[in-house]
Amino acid sequence: LQGIFVLGLPYALLHSGYSGLFLLILAAALCCYTGKILIACLYEENEDGQLTRVRDTYEDIANTCCKNLSPELGGIVVNVTQVMELILTCILYLVVSGNLLSHSFPYIPLTEKTWYVIAFVTLLPCIFIKTLKTVSKLSQLCSLVHFIIILVVMSYCLTQIHQWSWAKFRLSIGFEEFFVSVGVIIFSYTSQIFLPTLEGNMKNPGEFRCMLNWTHFFACVLKTTFALTAFMTWGEETKEVITDNLPSFLQTIVNLCLLTKALLSYPLPFFAATEIVYSCISRGKHSNYRSPIFALSVRGSFLLLTLLMAMLIPHFVLLTGLTGSVTGAVMTFLLPSLFHLKLKWEKLCFLEKCADTSVFILGFLCSLAGIVCSIKGLLEVFG
């Protein structure tokens, strides 16, 4: 929940004003709620009235809900959406890496797209990652670097507290910029695709709801504090990636830390996406599809795809907004509420049905508006 995408939140506040602060809190509450109902869909009551875990993954829930239409239709939709979100996340990390390299070494006469290629080359070893054990070690280092970055940015902002003014917040907001900001905020909270696995591996799954409450509460406090502090410091001059606002003596150091974090963050979504695709292709197929060479080919193709997409859409906030609007809203709001209504309809009270329906409608409207606005913004960028 505390990823590199928090760096785009101050820019989201620039375009959403006071409503952005409300959205940061609302998104945390809604994401926490949909996380709970998604996990509820993994359980059914047995003959003794006790809840028993009868499903293991998001895909299993989807297949159960769509079994009357097609036994595997729901799983296909979920897998495609998951892969889209994970690959777009990888593209974002590559975009951030290229942006940070170009800003860290402005005296080297290279284009930003050339820096993307350099970042791509450093990520080539990812195609040889075979287990989550390797990814977890990289993620530990990533978390350490993340807290160093946040500490440095917050410390500098606090030295500028004499410049803070609530007048920097907008009372009027633009429709298009607002919905791009909604996508950015939603995407910063998305974690639903990991929750079934997380809950299944907890020592005491009964504490899952409590854990979800506290993690989303602290994530909301940290995100709101960071975004507000940074925006109050730079106001209208807030840039897409907030570290670009730092003075030169700090910017190079922080950018190098961010570069390290972005590169260390890449393997997790990359590994997850390629494992989903590889398992879908090799399931029940000829033994050639399960060979190490074929696995390397899948990973290599995905790595190349992220480079090509990064070079086509090198805009951090617009791409984050599009990702949040397309896949984030679907996986976080639309599908959990829809599946919960489908599987638990007879056992839900009236208020619970209203809550699920409201989340679904809200998610659909935000997703639709965010997609239109993000795509329009990207088209304007490309002239």
Side-chain angles (χ1 to χ4, degrees), residues 28-341:
L30 291 178
C31 288
C32 183
Y33 173 74
T34 56
K36 292 175 184 176
I37 63 175
L38 179 67
I39 296 304
C41 292
L42 297 174
Y43 290 83
E44 295 289 349
E45 286 187 2
N46 59 20
E47 295 178 354
D48 300 324
Q50 297 177 328
L51 289 176
T52 306
R53 202 176 202 262
V54 296
R55 304 175 191 99
D56 293 317
T57 64
Y58 211 140
E59 182 182 359
D60 292 340
I61 297 171
N63 282 332
T64 303
C65 291
C66 299
K67 64 182 179 182
N68 293 332
L69 295 173
S70 171
E72 297 183 355
L73 175 62
I76 292 171
V77 171
V78 166
N79 281 335
V80 169
T81 309
Q82 284 186 102
V83 170
M84 281 180 61
E85 178 168 344
L86 292 166
I87 290 299
L88 283 169
T89 303
C90 290
I91 296 166
L92 279 166
Y93 285 131
L94 203 51
V95 169
V96 170
S97 298
N99 179 275
L100 292 169
L101 279 168
S102 65
H103 283 83
S104 299
F105 306 101
Y107 46 84
I108 299 178
L110 294 176
T111 64
E112 197 160 293
K113 290 185 178 180
T114 306
W115 287 116
Y116 292 154
V117 175
I118 293 172
F120 168 79
V121 171
T122 64
L123 291 168
L124 284 175
C126 288
I127 65 175
F128 300 107
I129 295 176
K130 297 180 180 179
T131 65
L132 271 175
K133 185 176 288 187
T134 306
V135 176
S136 68
K137 291 177 181 177
L138 297 173
S139 295
Q140 279 185 316
L141 293 172
C142 177
S143 298
L144 177 62
V145 175
H146 175 81
F147 283 109
I148 292 172
I149 294 164
I150 297 299
L151 181 63
V152 171
V153 175
M154 292 282 287
S155 298
Y156 176 80
C157 290
L158 290 174
T159 65
Q160 306 298 310
I161 197 169
H162 59 279
Q163 297 181 3
W164 291 8
S165 171
W166 285 103
K168 294 179 180 180
F169 270 93
R170 295 183 179 185
L171 292 175
S172 60
I173 55 175
F175 175 82
E176 294 178 11
E177 293 87 353
F178 172 75
F179 277 102
V180 171
S181 299
V182 170
V184 174
I185 291 169
I186 290 174
F187 190 56
S188 74
Y189 281 108
T190 54
S191 64
Q192 269 65 7
I193 60 176
F194 303 109
L195 293 184
T197 303
L198 175 63
E199 192 264 356
N201 284 279
M202 288 180 69
K203 186 176 180 179
N204 185 1
E207 296 179 350
F208 177 82
R209 295 173 69 89
C210 180
M211 178 277 293
L212 213 60
N213 288 336
W214 281 109
T215 50
H216 280 76
F217 170 76
F218 283 118
C220 178
V221 171
L222 289 169
K223 287 178 193 291
T224 305
T225 303
F226 177 76
L228 182 60
T229 302
F231 177 72
M232 292 285 277
T233 302
W234 287 289
E236 292 289 329
E237 297 177 2
T238 302
K239 296 181 180 178
E240 284 192 23
V241 182
I242 195 61
T243 52
D244 288 346
N245 284 102
L246 291 171
S248 57
F249 72 94
L250 281 178
Q251 191 173 342
T252 302
I253 297 172
V254 172
N255 280 351
L256 289 174
C257 289
L258 276 171
L259 174 63
T260 304
K261 176 175 171 54
L263 294 175
L264 290 171
S265 299
Y266 186 97
L268 177 58
F270 176 80
F271 178 82
T274 53
E275 284 297 294
I276 292 171
V277 173
Y278 179 62
S279 64
C280 289
I281 294 175
S282 62
R283 189 182 300 162
K285 299 288 184 180
H286 192 270
S287 60
N288 287 343
Y289 289 105
R290 293 188 288 273
S291 69
I293 300 298
F294 181 72
L296 286 174
S297 300
V298 170
R299 296 185 197 122
S301 300
F302 268 67
L303 194 64
L304 186 60
L305 174 65
T306 60
L307 173 64
L308 295 175
M309 290 298 292
M311 296 181 80
L312 286 172
I313 315 175
H315 293 277
F316 178 75
V317 168
L318 288 175
L319 188 54
T320 308
L322 181 60
T323 306
S325 299
V326 177
T327 61
V330 171
M331 298 298 290
T332 306
F333 296 136
L334 300 184
L335 294 184
S337 55
L338 188 63
F339 292 162
H340 194 234
L341 287 169

